[in-house]
Amino acid sequence: MAPRAPRRERLRRWWRSRLATPIDAPLPQRRLFLIPTRFGLGWATLVVVLLLFGINYQNNLAYVLAFWLFGIGVVALLRGWLNLLGVTPGLRLPREAFAGGEARLRAVLRARRARTALELHCDGAHAWLDIDEGVGEAELALPTPRRGSVALPWLRIETRWPLGLVRVVAWVSHDAELLVWPHPLEEEAPAARQAGADEDAGDFAGLRRFQPGDSPGQVAWKQWSRSGVLATKQFSAPPRHERWLDYDACRGDPERRLSLLCGRVLAHHRAGERYGLRLPGLTLAQGEGDGQRRRALDALARFGLPAGEGAR
């Protein structure tokens, strides 16, 4: 008996090759599936009943009504099928996502002509959109319960336009993965420095002419009383603190330690401080700015993952 994992992978490959359309490719006619709705089944039942009534009682009005409803149904089916045919789906991954929150996945649909009432579904999240001027965008909020590399579910695009008799459905396959950062524990992170604290702690560097917008607390009032000229005090900025965020210095289980380090990375980034990160088997050199923030949070997200997993 074949192992479960290879069997599941074979089923996934079959689904991809037979039913799903790759991302960034136009939806072809052979990958559009027509599924009748309850309203559509009722419509079809009514057509059959009217047809039988006309046959049994030779009622021309019943014939006319049956064929009229049948014609409307065929036109609605064709219009719905054309509403989805040729649409090109695309994905834009969120710039950041934290465990315990939501990832805002942006889906982009493109088409040469306008499309109406398209529905997007992805792992319980859904959105509606129209395609105007060749493009339509919608945002899907996906839960991120854990950190690490998360494979995003496939998309399902469907439409019930114009009458809701059938659902025209297409599945879209992709290999997109999202790197989810740990949930930050902000309450135990060091507080960011208050604005102006560095100036108060710096050394006096001299005076300059007062400019509109200068803080009254920095005005040299004694100088003004003697000379009648407004001047502003200048201070040399003190050296910024350089800190190391150490995994071994935190307490608790591994996920709690990573959450503490995540909160401290965010706090030091807001404070504009230089910091480095020490994890078992990894040392991130000290740095600052958005690049250092992302490198540190990515390292925390990948910590403990199997080799190769989470690489992007």
Side-chain angles (χ1 to χ4, degrees):
M1 188 173 181
R4 182 175 302 177
R7 183 186 306 168
R8 186 178 303 169
E9 183 62 27
R10 287 198 300 270
L11 180 61
R12 180 183 177 89
R13 287 198 299 266
W14 177 84
W15 177 273
R16 182 192 296 266
S17 62
R18 297 293 182 180
L19 301 180
T21 302
I23 196 72
D24 294 326
L27 299 178
Q29 60 182 12
R30 67 180 182 276
R31 302 289 172 85
L32 300 182
F33 301 92
L34 305 178
I35 303 174
T37 63
R38 290 184 179 181
F39 179 59
L41 292 176
W43 187 287
T45 302
L46 178 60
V47 171
V48 172
V49 169
L50 288 173
L51 186 61
L52 293 176
F53 182 83
I55 293 173
N56 289 337
Y57 295 97
Q58 295 299 310
N59 190 310
N60 291 333
L61 182 60
Y63 280 123
V64 171
L65 186 57
F67 285 111
W68 181 66
L69 292 177
F70 176 78
I72 291 178
V74 172
V75 172
L77 186 149
L78 181 60
R79 292 295 300 275
W81 181 74
L82 291 175
N83 193 40
L84 206 55
L85 180 66
V87 172
T88 302
L91 283 180
R92 293 179 184 172
L93 299 182
R95 292 182 56 85
E96 58 184 51
F98 292 93
E102 291 182 339
R104 298 287 177 173
L105 181 67
R106 182 163 291 276
V108 182
L109 302 184
R110 293 181 172 83
R112 294 183 179 179
R113 57 181 177 84
R115 308 299 173 97
T116 304
L118 302 181
E119 300 178 48
L120 285 171
H121 299 265
C122 184
D123 195 28
H126 66 278
W128 294 75
L129 64 87
D130 297 330
I131 299 180
D132 296 319
E133 298 181 356
V135 64
E137 297 188 16
E139 196 173 73
L140 297 166
L142 302 180
T144 52
R146 63 177 181 86
R147 72 170 180 92
S149 181
V150 178
L152 296 177
W154 289 358
L155 291 176
R156 187 176 84 247
I157 308 175
E158 64 180 62
T159 181
R160 305 185 186 206
W161 185 83
L163 297 180
L165 300 180
V166 295
R167 293 167 51 216
V168 186
V169 182
W171 284 271
V172 180
S173 64
H174 60 82
D175 296 319
E177 292 188 351
L178 179 65
L179 193 61
V180 180
W181 297 335
H183 175 70
L185 290 180
E186 297 283 358
E187 66 272 10
E188 297 196 33
R193 293 175 294 181
Q194 301 295 325
D198 287 345
E199 292 183 354
D200 294 340
D203 296 329
F204 178 73
L207 298 173
R208 64 170 173 81
R209 184 176 295 275
F210 177 83
Q211 298 176 357
D214 288 346
S215 172
Q218 302 296 329
V219 175
W221 297 108
K222 293 182 179 180
Q223 176 75 13
W224 173 73
S225 63
R226 290 195 299 265
S227 63
V229 177
L230 279 177
T232 301
K233 300 176 184 178
Q234 287 185 303
F235 297 87
S236 60
R240 290 175 294 177
H241 297 290
E242 296 187 355
R243 301 180 183 274
W244 283 100
L245 309 181
D246 199 330
Y247 177 89
D248 293 331
C250 299
R251 296 182 180 180
D253 59 81
E255 292 302 324
R256 177 177 173 78
R257 294 187 185 193
L258 295 175
S259 294
L260 288 172
L261 292 174
C262 179
R264 291 171 184 172
V265 167
L266 297 177
H268 290 313
H269 174 73
R270 288 193 298 267
E273 296 176 341
R274 291 178 58 85
Y275 58 91
L277 179 66
R278 291 194 182 108
L279 297 173
L282 173 67
T283 299
L284 181 64
Q286 290 184 339
E288 59 185 323
D290 293 335
Q292 178 74 355
R293 173 181 180 268
R294 176 165 289 276
R295 286 190 293 270
L297 294 178
D298 285 353
L300 294 175
R302 295 191 179 101
F303 177 74
L305 297 181
E309 184 176 348
R312 298 185 63 184

